[in-house]
């Protein structure tokens, strides 16, 4: 069968089940039941504290085939996932499904566990590094399932993703399971991606390196959801926890793209009081925030909120009065962590509140402007941020599809050529975000507007911006760098790319 972005899909995939093809119509109103929660009671006189991960696994009756979840707020400094899964392997357990909100290079030991059959499936919103390479090479027994941030929360709440045991890395936890992410040597800020796991997993384990007396000073995940508490000497390397964050680009091309993006926002009519805005932590994305701030200052504009993963730059904009509130699902740096701890106008949110398309109010639906990246974009404005130019997995949607769908103006910013490879193609290798969600592509050589956004191209032209068709951008790039060679892929499916509503938007084949 063919889905609405033109991808051919089988009706059934082993290890996944029946395939629901992506179609735009499912973005409309739906009625969804939430999972019935399995409530467990731990009233023993021993309390919730358990001496080790191994003892926790025994108490949780770990067995072959279970699904174990982790969050990624400790990012490339996370030590919890590796430690827990090594204990699982030491106990001789096999066929484990790992449901991690993201996988980073630090999770390299997972590759050996995949090769040994300890782990047979991975579900994540973003996968990079050695685990991504192993999956791309076909080492995983069953295809990986790649969610969006909001889609993962939806999947957990609906019961599509049933978690047997959730391990929650807790920078601080008291003896009865009250968790916060803002205290301790492994402080990472908000714990938004762990909330659905805590609320819906059958068994919830807090793993901390900062055990404090009851009750903890701050509480982000409450004792009412936590079955067991245990400790590790260290749950995370602070230098890796804030990894991935960059500074505003100094590259002239990136600055031109950012400056033009600011002009697009103004010409489209969104530079006004009450503006809501989200951008990523990359150099060009932060430069967009820089130019936006300058324009807001010149016109005395006060925004309502900035959201998403929060950086120090957005914290500065909050403190200087450019936005009234920050709504934060993930802190990217120490400034953001400190702000989240100290400033009541810096609010946390769960992944469900952030982007779940099936709850009663996702923050992405209140966004005016979203700044997005792309590794590829095609003539229908479909965007790939899942695979690289060689077809190997190198990332994933994260909040890409969620914010593109919810925001009123979704702008992709990218250089026209990266690493001598044109970014605009006839067809992207993998569709992560459907083109209908994208409004504008801004490059250093021109701005392309999706014809689906009626009248926007005329507004940008009237503002003196260099508007061209996306086909012209493709031809420009190919004239400079040549037409990219087609990637050779095998027939084996190594990953299933789910859209935020649980339909399948694309497949990743073995390379």
């Amino acid at each position: 069968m063919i889905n609405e972005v033109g991808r051919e899909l089988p009706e059934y995939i082993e290890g996944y089940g029946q395939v629901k093809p992506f179609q735009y119509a499912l973005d409309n109103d739906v009625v969804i039941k939430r999972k019935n929660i399995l409530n467990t009671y731990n009233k023993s006189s021993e309390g919730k504290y358990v001496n080790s991960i191994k003892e926790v696994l025994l108490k949780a009756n770990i067995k072959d085939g279970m699904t174990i979840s982790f969050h990624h707020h400790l990012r490339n400094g996370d030590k919890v996932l590796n430690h827990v899964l090594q204990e699982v392997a030491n106990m001789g357990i096999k066929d484990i499904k790992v449901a991690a909100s993201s996988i980073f290079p630090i999770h390299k030991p997972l590759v050996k566990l995949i090769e040994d059959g300890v782990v047979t499936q991975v579900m994540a919103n973003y996968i990079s590094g050695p685990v991504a390479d192993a999956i791309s090479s076909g080492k995983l027994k069953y295809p990986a399932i790649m969610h969006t941030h909001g889609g993962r929360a939806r999947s957990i709440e609906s019961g599509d993703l049933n978690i047997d045991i959730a391990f929650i890395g807790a920078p601080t936890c008291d003896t009865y399971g009250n968790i916060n992410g803002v205290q301790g040597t492994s402080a990472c800020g908000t714990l938004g991606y762990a909330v659905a796991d805590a609320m819906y997993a059958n068994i919830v384990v807090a793993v901390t390196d900062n055990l404090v007396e009851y009750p903890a000073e701050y509480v982000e995940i409450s004792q009412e959801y936590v079955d067991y508490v245990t400790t590790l000497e260290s749950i995370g390397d602070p230098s890796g926890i804030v990894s991935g964050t960059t500074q505003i680009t100094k590259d002239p091309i990136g600055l031109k793209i950012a400056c033009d993006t600011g002009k697009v926002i103004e010409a489209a009519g969104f530079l006004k009081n009450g503006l809501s805005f989200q951008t990523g932590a990359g150099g060009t994305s932060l430069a967009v925030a820089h130019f936006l701030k300058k324009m807001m200052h010149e016109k005395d504009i006060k925004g309502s909120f900035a959201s998403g993963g929060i950086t120090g730059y957005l914290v500065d904009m909050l403190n200087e009065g450019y936005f009234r509130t920050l709504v934060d699902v993930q802190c990217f740096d120490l400034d953001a962590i400190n702000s989240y701890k100290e400033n009541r106008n810096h609010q946390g949110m769960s992944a469900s509140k952030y982007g779940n398309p099936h709850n009663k109010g996702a923050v992405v639906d209140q966004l005016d402007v979203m700044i997005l990246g792309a590794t590829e974009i095609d003539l229908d404005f479909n965007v790939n941020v899942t695979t690289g130019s060689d077809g190997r997995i190198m990332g994933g949607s994260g909040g890409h599809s969620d914010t593109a769908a919810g925001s009123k103006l979704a702008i992709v910013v990218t250089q026209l050529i990266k690493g001598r490879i044109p970014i605009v193609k006839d067809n992207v290798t993998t569709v992560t975000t459907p083109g209908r969600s994208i409004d504008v592509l801004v490059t250093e050589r021109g701005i392309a507007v999706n014809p689906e956004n009626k009248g926007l191209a005329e507004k940008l032209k009237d503002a003196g911006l260099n508007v061209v068709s996306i086909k012209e951008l493709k031809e420009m790039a190919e004239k400079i760098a040549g037409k990219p060679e087609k990637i050779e892929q095998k027939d084996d499916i190594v990953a299933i790319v789910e859209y935020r509503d649980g339909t399948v938007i694309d497949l990743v084949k073995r390379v």
Side-chain angles (χ1 to χ4, degrees):
M1 54 187 170
I2 306 292
N3 68 13
E4 288 203 19
V5 291
R7 300 299 164 127
E8 186 172 0
L9 308 171
E11 293 186 357
Y12 180 87
I13 299 173
E14 185 179 359
Y16 180 76
Q18 292 297 131
V19 173
K20 293 182 287 185
F22 166 76
Q23 51 184 307
Y24 289 106
L26 293 184
D27 275 341
N28 296 332
D29 292 345
V30 291
V31 177
I32 301 292
K33 285 187 177 179
R34 290 191 178 186
K35 175 190 174 186
N36 290 326
I37 299 172
L38 179 63
N39 220 356
T40 54
Y41 297 88
N42 177 11
K43 303 285 188 184
S44 75
S45 58
E46 297 174 356
K48 294 184 179 181
Y49 183 77
V50 179
N51 287 321
S52 68
I53 295 290
K54 182 177 180 179
E55 286 188 40
V56 165
L57 290 168
L58 290 170
K59 284 180 175 290
N61 294 318
I62 180 77
K63 58 186 178 184
D64 294 356
M66 277 189 163
T67 298
I68 303 178
S69 81
F70 304 89
H71 70 73
H72 74 276
H73 289 283
L74 300 167
R75 298 173 63 77
N76 202 35
D78 174 46
K79 297 180 180 178
V80 176
L81 184 150
N82 290 340
H83 192 101
V84 169
L85 291 179
Q86 188 56 55
E87 285 291 351
V88 170
N90 294 343
M91 296 169 72
I93 304 296
K94 299 282 188 180
D95 192 25
I96 291 297
K97 279 75 175 173
V98 173
S101 52
S102 291
I103 300 285
F104 289 94
I106 195 170
H107 300 125
K108 181 180 178 181
L110 183 53
V111 175
K112 179 72 165 52
L113 302 182
I114 289 172
E115 292 170 343
D116 292 345
V118 176
V119 172
T120 54
Q121 191 164 49
V122 172
M123 293 157 270
N125 314 343
Y126 178 96
I127 308 173
S128 65
V131 178
D133 288 339
I135 294 171
S136 300
S137 302
K139 291 186 176 181
L140 198 59
K141 182 176 180 180
Y142 301 116
I145 302 172
M146 304 194 69
H147 296 117
T148 73
H149 285 331
R152 180 178 188 271
R154 177 209 58 76
S155 182
I156 294 170
E157 291 183 5
S158 69
D160 288 353
L161 171 53
N162 182 57
I163 298 170
D164 292 300
I165 312 172
F167 285 88
I168 298 178
T172 289
C173 184
D174 68 30
T175 51
Y176 208 48
N178 291 297
I179 297 169
N180 77 61
V182 297
Q183 295 175 308
T185 56
S186 303
C188 59
T190 173
L191 297 171
Y193 294 121
V195 173
D197 303 50
M199 292 180 67
Y200 290 90
N202 295 338
I203 295 174
V204 178
V205 182
V207 185
T208 187
D209 54 7
N210 186 34
L211 185 67
V212 297
E213 292 183 355
Y214 180 85
E217 185 177 1
Y218 301 93
V219 178
E220 188 162 4
I221 293 177
S222 168
Q223 63 192 44
E224 65 200 286
Y225 301 115
V226 176
D227 295 274
Y228 300 109
V229 178
T230 191
T231 52
L232 286 178
E233 182 177 351
S234 171
I235 64 166
D237 175 0
S239 65
I241 291 171
V242 296
S243 65
T245 303
T246 61
Q247 302 295 314
I248 293 174
T249 185
K250 296 180 180 177
D251 173 35
I253 294 176
L255 290 173
K256 173 176 171 40
I257 293 170
C259 181
D260 285 350
T261 303
K263 294 174 183 175
V264 168
I265 295 169
E266 182 176 25
F270 289 98
L271 188 64
K272 58 187 179 183
N273 286 325
L275 165 71
S276 54
F277 173 77
Q278 183 174 330
T279 191
T284 301
S285 297
L286 285 177
V288 175
H290 169 75
F291 283 106
L292 181 67
K293 175 183 171 181
K294 186 177 178 183
M295 296 164 69
M296 293 172 76
H297 178 76
E298 291 171 352
K299 297 183 180 297
D300 194 25
I301 300 294
K302 306 297 183 187
S304 57
F305 73 90
S307 64
I310 298 297
T311 62
Y313 197 85
L314 290 176
V315 170
D316 290 342
M317 291 184 75
L318 171 70
N319 293 335
E320 293 166 18
Y322 292 100
F323 289 106
R324 193 173 67 248
T325 306
L326 297 181
V327 190
D328 189 349
V329 70
Q330 176 179 208
C331 296
F332 278 124
D333 57 30
L334 292 176
D335 288 340
I337 294 169
N338 291 331
S339 171
Y340 175 64
K341 179 181 178 183
E342 303 293 343
N343 190 337
R344 293 184 63 181
N345 291 324
H346 186 157
Q347 303 173 2
M349 63 175 164
S350 69
S352 183
K353 181 178 176 180
Y354 176 39
N356 179 354
H358 293 168
N359 68 20
K360 295 184 179 180
V363 168
V364 296
D365 294 334
Q366 294 297 308
L367 266 177
D368 289 329
V369 178
M370 179 66 210
I371 308 300
L372 299 160
T375 56
E376 296 175 332
I377 183 167
D378 68 22
L379 298 182
D380 293 323
F381 287 82
N382 296 311
V383 175
N384 174 24
V385 291
T386 301
T387 51
S389 58
D390 58 357
R392 304 179 80 84
I393 297 167
M394 44 66 69
S397 177
H400 201 285
S401 298
D402 301 312
T403 52
S407 61
K408 297 180 181 70
L409 184 68
I411 306 174
V412 171
V413 296
T414 180
Q415 295 187 17
L416 193 56
I417 298 170
K418 290 181 181 176
R420 304 183 62 80
I421 297 174
I423 298 300
V424 183
K425 298 188 173 183
D426 290 323
N427 296 291
V428 292
T429 306
T430 307
V431 180
T432 309
T433 297
R436 195 178 291 183
S437 298
I438 303 299
D439 296 290
V440 186
L441 166 64
V442 181
T443 76
E444 74 277 21
R445 291 179 180 268
I447 299 166
V449 177
N450 191 334
E452 294 275 347
N453 194 322
K454 308 292 184 188
L456 180 59
E458 286 67 30
K459 289 181 180 177
L460 303 192
K461 287 177 183 174
D462 291 344
L465 292 166
N466 179 26
V467 177
V468 298
S469 72
I470 195 166
K471 185 178 180 184
E472 288 176 286
L473 287 176
K474 172 180 169 289
E475 291 169 351
M476 286 181 211
E478 291 180 354
K479 191 172 182 180
I480 297 168
K483 194 175 179 70
E485 293 185 5
K486 188 175 180 181
I487 299 169
E488 295 295 330
Q489 293 176 305
K490 313 295 183 185
D491 292 334
D492 323 34
I493 299 167
V494 297
I496 297 156
V497 182
E498 277 194 358
Y499 189 58
R500 56 200 302 253
D501 61 2
T503 59
V504 175
I505 194 165
D506 210 345
L507 306 171
V508 181
K509 302 290 185 64
R510 180 165 65 90
V511 294

